[in-house]
Amino acid sequence: MFKILSLFGLAVLCMIIYIIYLVIARLYLSPVASVPGPKLAAVSFWYEFYYDVVLGGRYTWKIAKLHEQYGPIIRINPFEVHINDPDFYDEVYVAGSRRKTDQWSWTVPMFGTPNSILSTIEHDVHRRRRNAYANYFSKQSIQRYSEVVQAAVDKLCSKCEESTQEHKKINLMHAYAAMAGDVVTEYCFPRSYGLLDQPNFAPDYYNLWVSILGNSHVLKQFSWIFPLMLSFPFWFVDRYLPDLSVTYKWQREWRKQIQDVKAGDDSGHRAKRGGRPSIFETLLDSDLPPFDKSVSRLVDDAQTLVGAGSITTSFALTLGTYYIASDASVRGKLMAELEPAMPSRFAQTSFRPAI
């Protein structure tokens, strides 16, 4: 018993010494020790944890207040500096020919996609992966895809007209997420998910992204949580972790679609789209290294691309719709500008008064 107590006491002493060393090193020996900011933030990540996890993503607003207190350059955690100075933008974000910049590894786990292009740490690897996507996101490529975007918008307007006539309410977050999801999934995969045709605009799809974004701050602080959860069997997740089960469901869908593309099972859908290959068809036919074309990595990219094209768009459209609908002067001005520009559409639709 005495030996156990002695070992425990020694462990406690070592921990105290380590904490004291850590505090001194971060406050006085760190390369960013001279940067102003709250001492608690300089010493520990728990300061950021409190605002982002406990208060639910409020650190961004706290950082704005800290800039008012400490100036344009502040220290927001033991290793990170935040700059609020537009004139300094070109010094931080420079071309690779001037300075190669790797991503900070601590931010990688926050969306649960460690192998995606978004989470790529090394500058050269990120550049290689980004170049593989470059042609798909050029202005010319997006213009060629405009018919698909317009078709999704028309379908959503038609659904809205039906709901107006039937006096049914619409959840715009779900509706816009479904519309954007149909557009981006047809761009990424040989076929879209048909979310606009599902009951209530497939609310599970919207809930997927809310769950991922809601857990991002926790995953950033505790990177081991998501790999641990993914190791659980699906029945366990479905019963005890319902939020995660939605992610499981969609990750299986992305994996299946990428495997189908790899096996050539979706080749018939290309003919329906006028021979235009999807993003992942192009990637799998490219000269990228084998790991960059592996199913596990492309599943992470699928989550990144589909999420970036869905939830961000739906948020922007929902907020824009709300503020236009709630301000009569803005709404009137918008209608006055749109009607001369699109007279045929205004003549065809009965949805205008319901906006």
Side-chain angles (χ1 to χ4, degrees), residues 250-264:
W250 285 100
Q251 284 195 337
R252 288 202 305 272
E253 173 65 24
W254 296 323
R255 181 175 295 275
K256 180 181 182 303
Q257 286 211 289
I258 291 170
Q259 288 173 335
D260 288 347
V261 171
K262 207 166 188 178

Side-chain angles (χ1 to χ4, degrees), residues 155 178 181-182 185-186 191-199 201-202:
K155 180 177 284 190
D182 278 352
T185 53
E186 184 163 340
R191 60 186 186 277
S192 76
Y193 292 159
L195 300 167
L196 285 171
D197 295 320
Q198 296 183 28
F201 302 109

